[in-house]
Amino acid sequence: MPERLPAIALLATGGTIAGAQSEDAAHAYRAGAVPVGQLLAAVPGLERLARIQAEQVANVGSQNMTHAVWAELARRIEALCRDPAVDGIVVTHGTDTLEETAYFLSLVIRHDKPLVLVGAMRPATAPGADGPANLFHAVALAGNAAARGRGPLVVMNEDIHYAREVQKVACAGVNAFASPNRGRAGVMRGSAASFFSRNDTLHSTASAFSLQALEAAGWPRVDVVHAGVGLDGELVDFLAARSRGIVLAGVGDGNATDLALRALQRAAGAGVAVVRASRTGSGRVARNVEVDDDALGFIAAGELSPQKARILLMLGLSLTQDPAALQDFFDRY
Ligand code: SIN
C-alpha cells in the first residue's frame, strides 16, 4: 500500500515570500505580488511531501497586516482544525510582523493541530530566493505529528521557533530570526524535524483567550511608547486619553525617565493598564526591581518583547481591567 501523504491546508497572506522584484533595481521589490499557486509551483518535490490545498486569505506586505485579516485567518484556521480531513496548516506571511501573528494565533486558536507560519527574506523572483526551501520545510513540519500540541510554529532558514519566543532580529539576510530567551524549538533537515524542547508556556488548548471575547470587547486599543534619553511625559499623557493600555518599551530593565514614569503613574491611576517591557531584545523584566510596580500600579512584561506584550495586553483587556489579573497573564503566557 502506498503511504498516504498528509493533507495540508495552506493559507497565503502575502509578504516577501510572495514578493516580486522590480525590473529596474535588483534590491527593490513589492511584497505580496505573487499568487499562492506560483509560490507552490516553485518548490521542487512538494508534490511528494503532501497533498496541498491552497487559499489566498490576503496578499499584503505584513506591515499592513490588520485585525480584520487576523480575525479572518483565525476563523479559517479554527474551521480547518475542526476538519478531520486536514492534517496540518501552513500560513505564508511577511516577515516584518510574522512573530506578532504567530503569537496572536497561539493565544486564540484552541486546537493542537500542527500550525506552521513561514516567510522569506528574499522575494520569490530573486536569485537565491529562500521562500521555496522555507515553504518545503513548513509543509513537511505541518505534516509531522511531532508538531502537534506545541502551538503555532515558525520555520525560517531551517530553524523551528515557538510563536512566543521568535523574533525578527535583523532587517535583512536569510538568518534574520532567533528565539533569544529560550532558544530555537528545533531544526529541519530536509523533510525531517528534530525538536530540542517542549513549549511549557500557556497557549492553544490551554489559553484563556478567544477571538469571540476580543471582538466583543472591540479589540482594546494598546499603544507602545519607546523610551530613550530625555523622554518626557507628553506622549504618555496624549495616549492615556485614548488607549486602554500602554506598553513601555523601556530602557534596560523596562525603565524610563522620571518624567515618563510619573506620566505612566498618572495613566495607571486613571485606569489605563501600564506594562513595562524592555527595548533590549531579550531578558526578563521582573516586578519591583528598579521600578516600584506595586506603588505605581504597573505590570511587568516578563520575557515578552514590547510588540508581543502589546498583543497579550490587548487580549488580557478583553477579559479584565484588574492589574493583578493582567500581571498573572504576563506571568503565565
Ligand atoms: C513583509 O513583512 O511583508 C515584508 C518583509 C518580508 O516579508 O520579509
Side-chain angles (χ1 to χ4, degrees):
M1 277 274 282
E3 206 182 321
R4 177 187 161 277
L5 291 178
I8 303 299
L10 188 144
L11 304 177
T13 70
T16 294
I17 192 167
Q21 273 182 304
S22 139
E23 284 176 13
D24 315 320
H27 62 277
Y29 73 97
R30 191 162 59 83
V34 176
V36 63
Q38 207 172 316
L39 290 188
L40 292 172
V43 186
L46 209 50
E47 69 291 345
R48 292 193 296 278
L49 212 52
R51 292 171 290 131
I52 300 175
Q53 241 191 347
E55 297 170 36
Q56 193 86 50
V57 174
N59 208 0
V60 294
S62 75
Q63 70 280 5
N64 282 319
M65 186 51 61
T66 61
H67 292 164
V69 176
W70 271 3
E72 190 183 341
L73 200 53
R75 267 192 268 278
R76 195 63 199 111
I77 291 169
E78 284 277 345
L80 291 165
C81 285
R82 285 193 300 271
D83 183 346
V86 175
D87 295 306
I89 302 160
V90 170
V91 175
T92 60
H93 198 288
T95 61
D96 287 349
T97 61
L98 183 58
E99 69 208 61
E100 293 182 47
T101 299
Y103 186 55
F104 172 73
L105 293 175
S106 81
L107 298 177
V108 300
I109 299 295
R110 309 265 192 103
H111 291 273
D112 62 5
K113 196 171 270 190
L115 170 59
V116 181
L117 287 89
V118 65
M121 291 299 292
R122 296 183 182 143
T125 56
D130 52 335
N134 291 346
L135 199 47
F136 182 91
H137 292 139
V139 169
L141 187 58
N144 187 330
R148 186 174 272 275
R150 296 175 185 271
L153 297 166
V154 169
V155 103
M156 289 291 292
N157 200 33
E158 301 189 6
D159 291 330
I160 309 169
H161 301 273
Y162 291 121
R164 178 182 184 271
E165 308 306 323
V166 67
Q167 279 183 43
K168 187 172 185 179
V169 294
C171 65
V174 295
N175 195 19
F177 281 78
S179 292
N181 281 322
R182 299 190 182 202
R184 291 174 297 179
V187 290
M188 296 299 298
R189 289 292 174 263
S191 59
S194 303
F195 281 96
F196 302 152
S197 61
R198 295 290 317 168
N199 179 3
D200 58 4
T201 55
L202 293 184
H203 60 85
S204 307
T205 49
S207 173
F209 307 111
S210 70
L211 179 64
Q212 291 70 25
L214 186 59
E215 288 185 319
W219 299 77
R221 179 178 176 130
V222 177
D223 288 290
V224 177
V225 172
H226 198 98
V229 171
L231 179 69
D232 63 22
E234 281 190 25
L235 181 56
V236 172
D237 287 337
F238 175 82
L239 292 175
R242 288 158 183 78
S243 306
R244 300 265 312 278
I246 297 175
V247 173
L248 174 69
V251 297
D253 190 23
N255 215 336
T257 57
D258 291 345
L259 278 179
L261 289 179
R262 275 201 292 275
L264 287 165
Q265 182 183 17
R266 283 195 293 280
V272 177
V274 174
V275 173
R276 292 189 305 107
S278 173
R279 68 176 198 177
T280 59
S282 67
R284 179 175 181 81
V285 174
R287 286 186 70 79
N288 304 321
V289 179
E290 287 184 82
V291 176
D292 189 345
D293 296 298
D294 288 348
L296 301 174
F298 297 166
I299 296 151
E303 294 163 29
L304 292 186
S305 64
Q307 56 271 31
K308 284 187 180 156
R310 179 168 173 251
I311 293 166
L312 183 59
L313 184 54
M314 176 180 74
L315 282 159
L317 286 167
S318 73
L319 301 182
T320 181
Q321 298 259 111
D322 174 23
L326 291 167
Q327 181 65 66
D328 187 53
F329 291 144
F330 276 87
D331 292 342
R332 295 189 306 134
Y333 285 86

